[in-house]
Amino acid sequence: MTDPCSPQSGQELQELDHFMLYEVDNDESMTLDALDGYLHAIAIGPITLHPSQWMPGILGEGSAMMPPVESLEKLNHIMGLIMRLFNSIIAALEDEPREIFPLWNTQEYLGKEYDDAESWTYGFCAGVNLCRREWQPLLETPQGQNWYRPIALLGEDDFEPQQDALTRTPDLRGELALQIPQAVIAIYEYWLPYRQALYEREVAKTLQKKVGRNEPCPCGSEKKFKQCCGAAVNLH
């Protein structure tokens, strides 16, 4: 059985790329670079999203969790490739020094090669939109706007009036792409304390002792729990 945290080989990434391009019957499904951007946004965001919340977005609006495939083995294999890509993103962010390795393409223009991050940023913005309300506290700060701006200029429609002028040429788009890795790491570090606090709160809930109905009420009233805070009319 393949380790779910093991990095993918180049051949496995090609296999996932082929699946997304040719085996998903939906014109709105993501390409591999868009998928990578999407998973980065989910990995660094303010809250933890369950795969059931983000997996349908990979295949296009109105899609099920996964498309029909010829066998359960193939389904599990593709799901495993996606989860391993997600886990590899998280592992790179947790390392010191933090790094990201975006899977976007390059293009050649007038004899020079440029990073082409448009599909990647489209996917990232789609990941942000899964919980846009939770992202707003960051996006409303000048610092957060500065981090998000190169991503949004390439990945959002009608982001700002000067957007077309700032993204007109491969050179301009390539310069924006170069700003993205450090911006993603900064966003990850911004949300990290918040995510840890949420995690610790959930752990505390699971560790909280359950009070028996006939035990003294924890509020200090010296009454039995069932006659105090545990009474249906007195819950507080």
Side-chain angles (χ1 to χ4, degrees):
M1 180 179 295
T2 304
D3 182 352
C5 294
S6 63
Q8 291 172 309
S9 66
Q11 182 178 346
E12 287 173 322
L13 287 173
Q14 289 178 0
E15 181 182 1
L16 184 55
D17 186 31
H18 184 276
F19 178 83
M20 301 302 296
L21 282 173
Y22 302 111
E23 298 184 48
V24 180
D25 188 19
N26 190 328
D27 292 339
E28 298 177 353
S29 64
M30 292 183 177
T31 55
L32 178 62
D33 47 354
L35 170 62
D36 189 63
Y38 184 67
L39 295 180
H40 271 82
I42 294 164
I44 70 170
I47 61 173
T48 300
L49 297 172
H50 191 272
S52 62
Q53 295 173 277
W54 52 259
M55 194 71 77
I58 296 170
L59 309 173
E61 187 176 352
S63 298
M65 183 79 164
M66 284 296 289
V69 293
E70 67 255 22
S71 68
L72 180 60
E73 182 180 5
K74 176 65 175 289
L75 175 63
N76 287 332
H77 178 63
I78 294 298
M79 293 276 284
L81 291 178
I82 293 172
M83 292 307 302
R84 282 171 59 201
L85 178 58
F86 183 58
N87 290 337
S88 70
I89 291 168
I90 295 172
L93 286 164
E94 290 178 344
D95 276 347
E96 292 290 349
R98 304 194 199 282
E99 295 182 272
I100 71 164
F101 304 96
L103 298 177
W104 58 51
N105 298 313
T106 59
Q107 63 168 305
E108 188 173 312
Y109 180 72
L110 298 179
K112 186 176 178 180
E113 194 171 78
Y114 299 95
D115 286 357
D116 180 5
E118 287 187 81
S119 290
W120 192 96
T121 55
Y122 164 80
F124 189 98
C125 294
V128 170
N129 288 335
L130 290 176
C131 53
R132 186 87 183 194
R133 183 181 65 181
E134 287 77 9
W135 275 80
Q136 278 306 122
L138 169 66
L139 300 179
E140 290 173 357
T141 67
Q143 188 178 46
Q145 291 168 4
N146 185 55
W147 293 332
Y148 189 63
R149 188 168 182 265
I151 298 170
L153 282 170
L154 293 174
E156 287 192 10
D157 295 328
D158 302 320
F159 176 67
E160 64 173 56
Q162 298 301 313
Q163 186 170 4
D164 287 345
L166 294 170
T167 59
R168 181 172 291 118
T169 67
D171 187 32
L172 290 171
R173 294 192 294 271
E175 289 177 6
L176 290 170
L178 293 178
Q179 300 173 36
I180 291 173
Q182 285 305 312
V184 169
I185 291 170
I187 294 170
Y188 170 80
E189 291 177 342
Y190 176 92
W191 285 125
L192 189 57
Y194 181 74
R195 290 173 68 99
Q196 289 174 334
L198 288 178
Y199 172 76
E200 289 169 4
R201 186 171 68 184
E202 291 304 311
V203 170
K205 286 181 181 179
T206 64
L207 296 177
Q208 187 175 8
K209 181 182 177 182
K210 186 175 180 180
V211 180
R213 286 179 53 77
N214 291 312
E215 293 180 11
C217 187
C219 76
S221 68
E222 299 184 358
K223 295 180 181 180
K224 291 183 179 180
F225 179 64
K226 68 180 180 181
Q227 296 170 338
C228 188
C229 295
V233 294
N234 292 327
L235 287 176
H236 61 271

